[in-house]
Amino acid sequence: MNRVVYFFICCLPSLLIGQELDSLKHLLQSAPQKQHAFLHGEIGYAYEKTGQLDLAHQWYRKGALIGGEQEQADFQGRNLRYRGMLFSQQAEYDSAALFLQQAIGFFMPDSLSFDRAKAMVDLGNVYYHTGKLERAAEIYMESAKLYDDMNMGLQAGVVYGNLGALHMELNNFERAIEFHELNYKRSKEVGALRHLGRAYYNIGSCSDALEDFDKAIAYYDSALVMAEDQHDTALMGYCYMGKSSLAGKLKQYPDAIKFARKALSYASQLPDSLNSINRMARFMAFNGDYAEARKYFQLSQDLANEHGMSTYVLEVLDFWQLSAAEAGAYKEAYKYLDQFRYMSDSILSSDLESKVYELEIKYESARKEQENLRLRAENSEQQLEIDQTKSRIRIRTLGLLLVIVLLILAIVAFLYYRKTSLQQRRIVEQEAERLRQGQRILTAEAMVEGQEAERTRLSQELHDGLGGLLATARNLLEAEAPANQSQGLELLKEASNELRRMAYALMPGSLARFGLQSALNDLITSTQETTPAEIEFQLFGIDEQQLSEEVQKAIFRVIQELLHNLQKHAEAKEVFVQLIQKESQLDISYEDDGKGIDLAKVKKGVGMNSMQRRIAYLGGHMELQSKPGEGFSVYIQIPLSDQTKG
């Protein structure tokens, strides 16, 4: 029999809600059309109480649509607000904010100020939960002023309490005290005794944070008296916890332990129990009773682990490793520190708990009240307000459409501009490529022209120099006189040397066999033998493995042409030649103290023009500096990014 009674008691709420749903749906079938929006909201709330949230959303949504069709701004707004509150309970705060803002838009007439104030409180709660504290404070303030204007002291006091709690979280304790005092004042005006004690407790907490300890203990004691009068055990626990914390700050550890024990006896929720246990253990440790403190810390840790409350576990481990170190138990301190670090690394996120009880209050009382089934006839003033609301909605809609059109036009203009810019840039790049190809052709033609001139010069040297020597040597060797034959052999030897020099000028064998550095050293040595000038030659950072054969030949020909001009024109005493290889560039420097030249004339010369074209073909740059009587200098730079061996 007892089991049957117990089962009936457990099922009674569900049975009652089921009867309520049936009654509301039956009433909906026979009710006038103007009551349908209201009844849809009631049915949605009944489904919400049963936990069928999807069905609740559907009924609220249909109620808002019917309210719009019937031009009932109040019921349309209320159903939107109900959906916003439901989204907030589901932690879908973006959707909650959207529906609550829409609801506030429908509650703008003065006749719906009460609904507007309630929706603003709900919206403020959403902003608070999403961390937008400044915005939440603005919304709360507007709501409190509305309640004050309607002389609704109880509701205004609760909102002022929310503002006080919010400013406590922002560490703006002076401002928080002002709001908690307003909460106390409004609650006292309407005789809300339960709220008075909680306002005093919060003022005590703010004073405690500001280190005004005398004021804090006075408010804690006053709040405790009010809590005892109202049998508010939760508030009594908060007051003893505050007194314990304050005694700990004053290093009155026996009192701190005593108050923490009292707070634990009134704790009805696990977080409050854990806070009380942790405080007792801390103050026991501070008081020198480490063994007893360790027991309570272990109890707190076990409870927190059992219920998955990682934040409390971390707090216990952190404090106890410090306490163990102070007691000289370094091995134990290291163990707790190691556990603390491991948990800190493994925890990805943790939820912060609310500091003050007011923000946990839900404004559900108005929703639980039955709406007056007798709808007042709409007078002309109400109809005008509804028309004005509809007009504002139409204006907002047109404004939104205009913004969308302008945005689309801006996107089209941007895409057109982007397409045009890309086409123009492509045309410029193609033109630049044509110019580069033309420059390459001119450079190649100039190189061929220089090679033809070089061949002509070599032909002339073969005919006039080597040919003359061989002809003279032949005549002397044909003579029978011994002196003539000896002289003829000397001429043959000279002709052989001349032939070797000319062959070296065409392509030194050492460049192919031994590389660039060896070929340049041979070139400098052979030039030194035929000119009175003192030549200083320096090589830095040369890595022939990174230089292509084309670049090595070009370097050799350039330095060969410069030394040829030295022999032929310079009349210099000192010559400096330097070759430096950098990461992305090759530098060639040539300087002599000879008679100098006229740059306007030298640039027209075949040899110098061929050298300049050869450098340009490799993408390099050449700079000449000279004046008659002041020597001659050449500075060459060749990029290596495209010239190294692949």
Side-chain angles (χ1 to χ4, degrees):
M1 183 64 181
N2 291 335
R3 292 182 179 179
V4 174
V5 173
Y6 177 76
F7 177 78
F8 178 77
I9 293 173
C10 292
C11 296
L12 183 59
S14 299
L15 293 172
L16 292 176
I17 294 174
Q19 291 178 357
E20 180 184 1
L21 275 170
D22 292 339
S23 298
L24 288 170
K25 289 181 178 180
H26 180 74
L27 182 61
L28 179 64
Q29 295 176 356
S30 59
Q33 188 68 28
K34 285 194 174 184
Q35 295 181 8
H36 282 196
F38 161 72
L39 290 172
H40 273 73
E42 289 301 303
I43 295 172
Y45 181 56
Y47 275 119
E48 185 177 337
K49 287 189 290 185
T50 66
Q52 301 180 71
L53 304 186
D54 290 340
L55 287 174
H57 274 299
Q58 293 178 17
W59 282 90
Y60 289 151
R61 182 178 63 82
K62 186 66 180 297
L65 291 174
I66 294 173
E69 294 170 357
Q70 297 293 323
E71 297 184 353
Q72 296 172 316
D74 49 355
F75 293 128
Q76 187 174 5
R78 287 169 191 167
N79 278 283
L80 290 171
R81 175 177 168 250
Y82 298 159
R83 290 200 72 188
M85 293 174 67
L86 185 52
F87 275 123
S88 180
Q89 293 174 21
Q90 295 174 295
E92 297 182 23
Y93 295 116
D94 290 339
S95 298
L98 177 64
F99 280 99
L100 289 170
Q101 288 167 353
Q102 292 177 358
I104 291 171
F106 287 101
F107 294 148
M108 293 309 294
D110 291 340
S111 60
L112 299 176
S113 295
F114 181 60
D115 290 293
R116 184 162 79 250
K118 290 189 293 185
M120 283 183 172
V121 171
D122 297 329
L123 182 59
N125 292 340
V126 169
Y127 285 137
Y128 175 80
H129 286 301
T130 55
K132 300 175 182 178
L133 301 185
E134 299 293 341
R135 182 61 179 146
E138 294 175 4
I139 297 294
Y140 282 149
M141 183 60 74
E142 291 183 38
S143 175
K145 289 180 179 178
L146 280 174
Y147 282 130
D148 274 338
D149 292 342
M150 292 183 288
N151 294 319
M152 303 182 72
L154 176 62
Q155 290 81 355
V158 173
V159 179
Y160 284 130
N162 282 0
L163 282 164
L166 189 149
H167 281 282
M168 288 174 71
E169 186 151 336
L170 292 171
N171 294 325
N172 188 1
F173 297 107
E174 294 88 348
R175 186 67 170 152
I177 288 175
E178 294 177 12
F179 286 117
H180 286 308
E181 288 176 343
L182 283 172
N183 179 18
Y184 180 84
K185 181 179 179 181
R186 296 294 185 272
S187 301
K188 187 176 181 180
E189 290 171 352
V190 296
L193 302 179
R194 188 180 184 86
H195 289 244
L196 297 178
R198 298 187 175 232
Y200 265 25
Y201 164 74
N202 285 320
I203 295 173
S205 296
C206 294
S207 303
D208 193 346
L210 294 171
E211 297 187 353
D212 189 349
F213 299 134
D214 291 338
K215 182 177 179 180
I217 194 62
Y219 274 98
Y220 283 149
D221 287 338
S222 297
L224 186 57
V225 171
M226 296 178 186
E228 290 172 347
D229 290 342
Q230 296 297 316
H231 303 289
D232 189 345
T233 56
L235 180 57
M236 292 168 67
Y238 290 140
C239 291
Y240 279 118
M241 200 175 295
K243 288 165 69 78
S244 175
S245 175
L246 193 150
K249 292 179 181 178
L250 298 174
K251 298 184 178 181
Q252 299 170 357
Y253 299 126
D255 288 340
I257 296 169
K258 179 182 68 174
F259 292 139
R261 287 185 188 278
K262 293 286 288 184
L264 180 60
S265 67
Y266 290 110
S268 59
Q269 297 182 357
L270 183 59
D272 295 335
S273 300
L274 289 173
N275 283 331
S276 300
I277 295 172
N278 286 342
R279 275 186 168 80
M280 276 196 298
R282 288 182 184 212
F283 298 138
M284 286 175 181
F286 289 148
N287 203 37
D289 192 353
Y290 293 102
E292 190 69 14
R294 185 185 290 108
K295 294 179 183 178
Y296 281 99
F297 272 118
Q298 189 62 51
L299 173 62
S300 177
Q301 184 178 356
D302 292 343
L303 284 172
N305 278 322
E306 181 182 349
H307 293 85
M309 303 178 70
S310 303
T311 303
Y312 286 93
V313 177
L314 283 175
E315 183 179 351
V316 170
L317 291 173
D318 184 35
F319 181 80
W320 188 241
Q321 61 93 6
L322 294 174
S323 301
E326 291 177 1
Y330 299 111
K331 185 176 181 180
E332 186 177 5
Y334 178 79
K335 180 186 72 172
Y336 286 116
L337 178 61
D338 188 55
Q339 292 178 12
F340 174 81
R341 290 174 176 171
Y342 176 79
M343 283 201 64
S344 297
D345 293 339
S346 64
I347 294 175
L348 298 177
S349 64
S350 60
D351 295 328
L352 295 177
E353 298 194 16
S354 177
K355 290 184 178 180
V356 186
Y357 78 99
E358 279 89 348
L359 293 180
E360 297 175 355
I361 296 176
K362 297 180 180 180
Y363 299 90
E364 299 290 343
S365 57
R367 290 185 57 190
K368 296 177 182 178
E369 298 174 358
Q370 291 290 336
E371 295 283 348
N372 187 2
L373 295 178
R374 184 176 58 86
L375 299 176
R376 292 174 297 181
E378 296 178 351
N379 54 31
S380 58
E381 181 180 355
Q382 290 174 327
Q383 187 62 46
L384 178 61
E385 291 174 351
I386 293 173
D387 292 341
Q388 290 174 347
T389 302
K390 291 171 62 178
S391 177
R392 285 196 295 270
I393 293 173
R394 283 195 293 269
I395 292 172
R396 291 173 186 169
T397 304
L398 290 174
L400 180 60
L401 289 174
L402 178 61
V403 170
I404 293 172
V405 170
L406 292 175
L407 181 60
I408 292 173
L409 291 175
I411 293 173
V412 171
F414 170 75
L415 293 175
Y416 176 77
Y417 169 77
R418 185 169 178 269
K419 180 180 178 182
T420 305
S421 300
L422 289 174
Q423 290 176 344
Q424 291 177 348
R425 185 170 65 183
R426 194 177 296 114
I427 292 171
V428 170
E429 290 176 351
Q430 291 174 351
E431 184 64 27
E433 182 62 26
R434 284 197 293 270
L435 291 175
R436 284 195 294 271
Q437 291 177 354
Q439 184 64 34
R440 292 194 192 100
I441 293 171
L442 291 175
T443 300
E445 290 176 349
M447 289 178 63
V448 172
E449 182 182 333
Q451 290 172 356
E452 290 296 329
E454 181 68 14
R455 292 191 184 97
T456 301
R457 182 176 67 81
L458 288 174
S459 174
Q460 186 175 356
E461 287 186 4
L462 285 170
H463 181 271
D464 296 342
L466 186 60
L469 286 173
L470 291 174
T472 305
R474 187 186 64 184
N475 293 333
L476 289 173
L477 290 172
E478 289 176 350
E480 295 181 358
N484 289 343
Q485 288 185 355
S486 177
Q487 187 177 1
L489 291 173
E490 288 294 328
L491 288 175
L492 282 176
K493 184 178 180 181
E494 183 179 350
S496 177
N497 291 335
E498 180 68 14
L499 179 61
R500 187 180 299 108
R501 185 191 65 79
M502 294 177 65
Y504 188 86
L506 286 172
M507 176 53 68
S510 59
L511 179 61
R513 292 193 299 274
F514 305 112
L516 177 63
Q517 298 185 56
S518 178
L520 289 176
N521 286 326
D522 290 347
L523 177 62
I524 296 296
T525 301
S526 63
T527 304
Q528 186 70 74
E529 294 174 353
T530 59
T531 181
E534 187 70 28
I535 302 175
E536 181 181 354
F537 181 54
Q538 296 180 351
L539 294 169
F540 296 103
I542 302 301
D543 185 359
E544 296 179 9
Q545 297 297 323
Q546 295 295 320
L547 299 176
S548 66
E549 183 179 349
E550 184 179 36
V551 171
Q552 294 188 42
K553 287 181 181 180
I555 294 170
F556 181 84
R557 290 303 184 195
V558 166
I559 296 178
Q560 184 184 47
E561 180 64 30
L562 291 171
L563 294 178
H564 176 74
N565 290 336
L566 166 69
Q567 294 172 304
K568 192 173 181 180
H569 305 292
E571 300 178 8
K573 295 180 181 179
E574 293 184 356
V575 180
F576 175 74
V577 181
Q578 187 181 69
L579 185 63
I580 301 175
Q581 182 178 342
K582 302 176 182 177
E583 184 177 350
S584 60
Q585 180 177 296
L586 188 70
D587 294 342
I588 302 174
S589 301
Y590 171 90
E591 299 177 4
D592 67 41
D593 61 351
K595 64 182 182 179
I597 54 178
D598 186 350
L599 291 180
K601 294 180 180 180
V602 75
K603 289 181 179 178
K604 297 179 181 179
V606 175
M608 192 62 66
N609 190 31
S610 175
M611 183 170 64
Q612 191 163 16
R613 294 290 186 181
R614 190 184 301 275
I615 294 167
Y617 184 76
L618 296 175
H621 170 72
M622 182 172 72
E623 180 181 351
L624 306 177
Q625 294 182 1
S626 181
K627 289 182 181 179
E630 297 184 6
F632 178 65
S633 300
V634 181
Y635 303 101
I636 300 170
Q637 293 179 340
I638 299 175
L640 295 180
S641 58
D642 298 327
Q643 313 298 338
T644 55
K645 293 182 179 180

